Amino acid sequence: MAGAKEIRTKIASVKGTQKITKAMEMVAASKMRRAQERMRAARPYAEKMREVIGHLRLANPDYRHPFMIDRAVSSVGFVVFSTDRGLCGGLNINLFKATLAEIRQWQAKGVDVHLCVIGSKALQFFRRLKLNIVASATHLGDKPQSASLIGPVTAMLDLYKEGKIDRLYMVNNHFMNTMSQKPIVSQLVPAEATPSPDLQPLWEYIYEPSAAELLDGFLTRYVESQVYQGAVENVASEMAARMVAMKSATDNAGKLIEELQLIYNKARQAAITKEISEIVGGAAAV
Amino acid sequence: MAHTINVDIVSAEGQIFSGEAAMVFVPATQGEIGIAPRHAPLLTSLKPGEVRVQLASGEEQLFYVGGGALEIQPNRVVVLADTAARARDLDEAKAAEAKARAEAALSDRSDTIDVAEAQLELARAVAQLRAIERLRKIKS
């Protein structure tokens, strides 16, 4: 019966693990709902902001904000969003692969790369690669606040203003639906122009009070909204990915238990058969 | 098409309004402006106040904004509000309380209080109260 006992302990331990993964799945599911609501709520603002700034790039104000001037690229910056905790499937590693591909492309052209990493997973990963990490922020929680994001991003923007970075990108997971999240790289500054069919061929804004006063406020709002959107979208992706990962872990544990149960039953039956044949053999000998 | 203008009011908390309007009034920092269809492109910032949207049917909808930014293109208006709410969702008691708090903060001019912030809060509360009052007038 030694084999059977071992199997029984193993089944109990797998059941324990299954309970944990099941609980994590449910926690992730409920967090995902809230994260998704936050993301949905913030999306229209971020999209409209991007559009307005895109239009602004097509206009020709008398004042040019540094965030609106394209420069020759000799150095680029990336703001990379990741999660703080693991157990969320391939979410982070897919994002890092996409980022790394982008970084290698720039490096092949002889361009310097500076990084701003959000989330401890990205910090661990990029630190190992010995890349130049300028700023980092970790443990922002499930409800990222603009206030805590703006610090590290401002560090990047300052480098941009000083001319040490000529272009700043943002990498985050885009929440497509619960089952799929896709890493996307988007350009933060200089803001990209978005031509739209609504626009008339020759036009210029009236600026009230003046372009200089307005644009500073507009572009600060623009960066804040884009970064915040990136963060909430990444959190929603994290929760969805974790939920799916934990669900498949729970299912796998279930399958494992079934198999183990079968082996256990066979071992137990074999032991009984053996005992009976021993008794029968003993009785015959008498 | 030519007689209406597409209006989007969005805030960081979500989309507040999206649709066609005959006329829109917004509280710009340099005074209230009325926007009719085919307005010249304009970019400005907003102060706390109410945005009135006149629909093609003649019905008027009231929104409260706590400051923000505004873009106008000939056939569309985008209001990027810092905090926006439908006027009928506003809570009068809360607005009055906020007003009292801001006034108390202003009268107590110790160094610990940011006067500019208190003034902004006061302006917001007053604008909210005004939006509620106006809404009540429309109803009665």
Short mmCIF file of all heavy atoms in Angstrom, two decimals, chain A residues 180-211:
data_model
loop_
_atom_site.label_atom_id
_atom_site.label_comp_id
_atom_site.label_asym_id
_atom_site.label_seq_id
_atom_site.Cartn_x
_atom_site.Cartn_y
_atom_site.Cartn_z
N SER A 180 -7.60 38.19 -25.39
CA SER A 180 -6.38 38.60 -26.08
C SER A 180 -5.98 40.03 -25.74
O SER A 180 -6.81 40.93 -25.68
CB SER A 180 -6.55 38.43 -27.59
OG SER A 180 -7.30 39.46 -28.11
N GLN A 181 -4.70 40.17 -25.48
CA GLN A 181 -4.10 41.47 -25.23
C GLN A 181 -2.89 41.59 -26.15
O GLN A 181 -2.17 40.62 -26.32
CB GLN A 181 -3.65 41.60 -23.77
CG GLN A 181 -4.77 41.48 -22.76
CD GLN A 181 -5.06 40.02 -22.41
OE1 GLN A 181 -4.18 39.18 -22.46
NE2 GLN A 181 -6.31 39.74 -22.10
N LYS A 182 -2.73 42.75 -26.73
CA LYS A 182 -1.65 42.90 -27.70
C LYS A 182 -0.72 44.02 -27.28
O LYS A 182 -1.19 45.10 -26.95
CB LYS A 182 -2.27 43.22 -29.07
CG LYS A 182 -1.37 42.87 -30.23
CD LYS A 182 -2.08 43.11 -31.54
CE LYS A 182 -1.95 44.56 -31.92
NZ LYS A 182 -2.70 45.00 -33.05
N PRO A 183 0.61 43.76 -27.28
CA PRO A 183 1.51 44.87 -26.98
C PRO A 183 1.50 45.89 -28.11
O PRO A 183 1.57 45.51 -29.28
CB PRO A 183 2.87 44.20 -26.84
CG PRO A 183 2.74 42.83 -27.37
CD PRO A 183 1.31 42.49 -27.48
N ILE A 184 1.38 47.16 -27.76
CA ILE A 184 1.45 48.20 -28.80
C ILE A 184 2.48 49.25 -28.42
O ILE A 184 2.66 49.58 -27.26
CB ILE A 184 0.09 48.89 -29.08
CG1 ILE A 184 -0.58 49.30 -27.78
CG2 ILE A 184 -0.82 48.04 -29.91
CD1 ILE A 184 -1.67 50.32 -28.00
N VAL A 185 3.14 49.75 -29.45
CA VAL A 185 4.13 50.81 -29.28
C VAL A 185 3.54 52.06 -29.90
O VAL A 185 3.17 52.04 -31.07
CB VAL A 185 5.45 50.44 -30.00
CG1 VAL A 185 6.49 51.52 -29.78
CG2 VAL A 185 5.97 49.10 -29.53
N SER A 186 3.38 53.11 -29.12
CA SER A 186 2.84 54.34 -29.69
C SER A 186 3.76 55.51 -29.39
O SER A 186 4.44 55.53 -28.37
CB SER A 186 1.44 54.60 -29.13
OG SER A 186 1.45 54.47 -27.73
N GLN A 187 3.77 56.45 -30.30
CA GLN A 187 4.64 57.60 -30.14
C GLN A 187 3.97 58.63 -29.25
O GLN A 187 2.85 59.05 -29.50
CB GLN A 187 4.98 58.19 -31.50
CG GLN A 187 6.04 59.25 -31.42
CD GLN A 187 6.51 59.67 -32.79
OE1 GLN A 187 6.55 58.89 -33.72
NE2 GLN A 187 6.85 60.93 -32.93
N LEU A 188 4.68 59.05 -28.20
CA LEU A 188 4.11 60.00 -27.26
C LEU A 188 4.49 61.43 -27.66
O LEU A 188 3.63 62.27 -27.92
CB LEU A 188 4.63 59.67 -25.86
CG LEU A 188 3.83 60.10 -24.67
CD1 LEU A 188 2.42 59.56 -24.74
CD2 LEU A 188 4.50 59.63 -23.38
N VAL A 189 5.78 61.71 -27.69
CA VAL A 189 6.25 63.00 -28.19
C VAL A 189 7.40 62.78 -29.15
O VAL A 189 8.17 61.85 -28.97
CB VAL A 189 6.73 63.93 -27.04
CG1 VAL A 189 5.57 64.50 -26.29
CG2 VAL A 189 7.70 63.24 -26.12
N PRO A 190 7.57 63.60 -30.17
CA PRO A 190 6.63 64.63 -30.59
C PRO A 190 5.29 64.02 -30.98
O PRO A 190 5.26 62.92 -31.54
CB PRO A 190 7.31 65.29 -31.78
CG PRO A 190 8.35 64.32 -32.23
CD PRO A 190 8.75 63.54 -31.05
N ALA A 191 4.22 64.72 -30.70
CA ALA A 191 2.90 64.21 -31.01
C ALA A 191 2.78 63.95 -32.50
O ALA A 191 3.34 64.68 -33.30
CB ALA A 191 1.85 65.21 -30.56
N GLU A 192 2.06 62.88 -32.85
CA GLU A 192 1.92 62.55 -34.26
C GLU A 192 0.71 63.27 -34.85
O GLU A 192 -0.31 63.43 -34.18
CB GLU A 192 1.73 61.04 -34.42
CG GLU A 192 3.03 60.30 -34.44
CD GLU A 192 2.81 58.82 -34.62
OE1 GLU A 192 2.06 58.24 -33.84
OE2 GLU A 192 3.39 58.26 -35.55
N ALA A 193 0.85 63.68 -36.08
CA ALA A 193 -0.26 64.35 -36.76
C ALA A 193 -1.28 63.32 -37.21
O ALA A 193 -0.92 62.22 -37.61
CB ALA A 193 0.27 65.12 -37.96
N THR A 194 -2.57 63.64 -37.07
CA THR A 194 -3.61 62.76 -37.59
C THR A 194 -4.45 63.52 -38.61
O THR A 194 -5.32 64.28 -38.24
CB THR A 194 -4.54 62.28 -36.47
OG1 THR A 194 -4.92 63.42 -35.69
CG2 THR A 194 -3.92 61.24 -35.59
N PRO A 195 -4.15 63.31 -39.88
CA PRO A 195 -4.97 63.96 -40.91
C PRO A 195 -6.38 63.39 -40.85
O PRO A 195 -6.55 62.20 -40.57
CB PRO A 195 -4.28 63.58 -42.22
CG PRO A 195 -3.07 62.80 -41.85
CD PRO A 195 -3.18 62.39 -40.43
N SER A 196 -7.35 64.23 -41.03
CA SER A 196 -8.72 63.73 -41.00
C SER A 196 -9.51 64.36 -42.13
O SER A 196 -9.27 65.51 -42.50
CB SER A 196 -9.34 64.03 -39.63
OG SER A 196 -10.48 64.80 -39.77
N PRO A 197 -10.42 63.60 -42.70
CA PRO A 197 -11.19 64.10 -43.85
C PRO A 197 -12.09 65.28 -43.48
O PRO A 197 -12.52 66.03 -44.35
CB PRO A 197 -12.02 62.89 -44.28
CG PRO A 197 -12.03 61.98 -43.09
CD PRO A 197 -10.76 62.22 -42.36
N ASP A 198 -12.35 65.44 -42.16
CA ASP A 198 -13.21 66.54 -41.74
C ASP A 198 -12.55 67.90 -41.92
O ASP A 198 -13.21 68.93 -41.98
CB ASP A 198 -13.54 66.42 -40.24
CG ASP A 198 -14.33 65.17 -39.93
OD1 ASP A 198 -14.78 64.54 -40.90
OD2 ASP A 198 -14.48 64.83 -38.75
N LEU A 199 -11.21 67.87 -41.97
CA LEU A 199 -10.51 69.14 -41.96
C LEU A 199 -10.54 69.77 -43.33
O LEU A 199 -10.45 69.09 -44.35
CB LEU A 199 -9.06 68.92 -41.53
CG LEU A 199 -8.88 68.37 -40.14
CD1 LEU A 199 -7.41 68.21 -39.83
CD2 LEU A 199 -9.52 69.28 -39.12
N GLN A 200 -10.64 71.09 -43.33
CA GLN A 200 -10.61 71.80 -44.60
C GLN A 200 -9.16 71.99 -45.02
O GLN A 200 -8.26 71.95 -44.20
CB GLN A 200 -11.32 73.14 -44.43
CG GLN A 200 -12.83 72.91 -44.42
CD GLN A 200 -13.60 74.09 -43.95
OE1 GLN A 200 -13.03 75.13 -43.69
NE2 GLN A 200 -14.89 73.91 -43.86
N PRO A 201 -8.92 72.17 -46.33
CA PRO A 201 -7.55 72.23 -46.82
C PRO A 201 -6.72 73.36 -46.22
O PRO A 201 -5.57 73.15 -45.87
CB PRO A 201 -7.72 72.39 -48.32
CG PRO A 201 -9.15 72.74 -48.54
CD PRO A 201 -9.91 72.18 -47.40
N LEU A 202 -7.29 74.53 -46.09
CA LEU A 202 -6.51 75.65 -45.56
C LEU A 202 -7.21 76.21 -44.35
O LEU A 202 -8.32 76.73 -44.44
CB LEU A 202 -6.39 76.76 -46.62
CG LEU A 202 -5.24 76.60 -47.60
CD1 LEU A 202 -5.35 77.66 -48.68
CD2 LEU A 202 -3.90 76.66 -46.92
N TRP A 203 -6.59 76.08 -43.22
CA TRP A 203 -7.25 76.58 -42.02
C TRP A 203 -6.21 76.85 -40.96
O TRP A 203 -5.08 76.39 -41.04
CB TRP A 203 -8.26 75.57 -41.50
CG TRP A 203 -7.62 74.28 -41.12
CD1 TRP A 203 -7.25 73.28 -41.98
CD2 TRP A 203 -7.21 73.86 -39.84
NE1 TRP A 203 -6.65 72.27 -41.29
CE2 TRP A 203 -6.62 72.60 -39.97
CE3 TRP A 203 -7.30 74.43 -38.56
CZ2 TRP A 203 -6.10 71.90 -38.89
CZ3 TRP A 203 -6.80 73.73 -37.48
CH2 TRP A 203 -6.20 72.49 -37.66
N GLU A 204 -6.60 77.61 -39.99
CA GLU A 204 -5.73 77.86 -38.86
C GLU A 204 -6.63 78.14 -37.65
O GLU A 204 -7.70 78.71 -37.79
CB GLU A 204 -4.84 79.07 -39.16
CG GLU A 204 -3.88 79.44 -38.05
CD GLU A 204 -3.00 78.29 -37.60
OE1 GLU A 204 -2.30 77.72 -38.42
OE2 GLU A 204 -3.04 77.96 -36.40
N TYR A 205 -6.19 77.69 -36.51
CA TYR A 205 -6.98 77.93 -35.31
C TYR A 205 -6.96 79.41 -34.92
O TYR A 205 -5.99 80.11 -35.19
CB TYR A 205 -6.40 77.16 -34.13
CG TYR A 205 -6.72 75.70 -34.09
CD1 TYR A 205 -5.71 74.77 -34.12
CD2 TYR A 205 -8.03 75.27 -33.99
CE1 TYR A 205 -6.00 73.41 -34.06
CE2 TYR A 205 -8.32 73.92 -33.93
CZ TYR A 205 -7.31 73.00 -33.97
OH TYR A 205 -7.58 71.67 -33.89
N ILE A 206 -8.03 79.82 -34.24
CA ILE A 206 -7.98 81.07 -33.49
C ILE A 206 -7.57 80.63 -32.09
O ILE A 206 -8.15 79.68 -31.56
CB ILE A 206 -9.38 81.72 -33.43
CG1 ILE A 206 -9.93 81.93 -34.84
CG2 ILE A 206 -9.34 82.99 -32.62
CD1 ILE A 206 -11.41 82.27 -34.85
N TYR A 207 -6.58 81.24 -31.52
CA TYR A 207 -6.15 80.84 -30.19
C TYR A 207 -6.60 81.89 -29.18
O TYR A 207 -6.31 83.07 -29.35
CB TYR A 207 -4.63 80.70 -30.12
CG TYR A 207 -4.11 79.65 -31.07
CD1 TYR A 207 -3.70 80.01 -32.34
CD2 TYR A 207 -4.04 78.33 -30.70
CE1 TYR A 207 -3.23 79.07 -33.23
CE2 TYR A 207 -3.57 77.37 -31.58
CZ TYR A 207 -3.17 77.74 -32.84
OH TYR A 207 -2.71 76.81 -33.73
N GLU A 208 -7.31 81.44 -28.17
CA GLU A 208 -7.74 82.36 -27.13
C GLU A 208 -7.24 81.85 -25.79
O GLU A 208 -7.57 80.70 -25.44
CB GLU A 208 -9.27 82.44 -27.07
CG GLU A 208 -9.85 83.54 -27.91
CD GLU A 208 -11.35 83.63 -27.72
OE1 GLU A 208 -11.88 83.08 -26.75
OE2 GLU A 208 -11.98 84.26 -28.56
N PRO A 209 -6.46 82.50 -24.99
CA PRO A 209 -5.94 83.84 -25.23
C PRO A 209 -4.78 83.87 -26.23
O PRO A 209 -4.80 84.69 -27.13
CB PRO A 209 -5.48 84.28 -23.85
CG PRO A 209 -5.31 83.02 -23.06
CD PRO A 209 -6.18 81.99 -23.67
N SER A 210 -3.78 83.00 -26.07
CA SER A 210 -2.69 83.01 -27.05
C SER A 210 -2.16 81.59 -27.19
O SER A 210 -2.33 80.77 -26.30
CB SER A 210 -1.56 83.93 -26.60
OG SER A 210 -0.87 83.32 -25.52
N ALA A 211 -1.54 81.32 -28.32
CA ALA A 211 -1.06 79.96 -28.59
C ALA A 211 -0.11 79.49 -27.51
O ALA A 211 -0.20 78.37 -27.02
CB ALA A 211 -0.39 79.92 -29.96
#
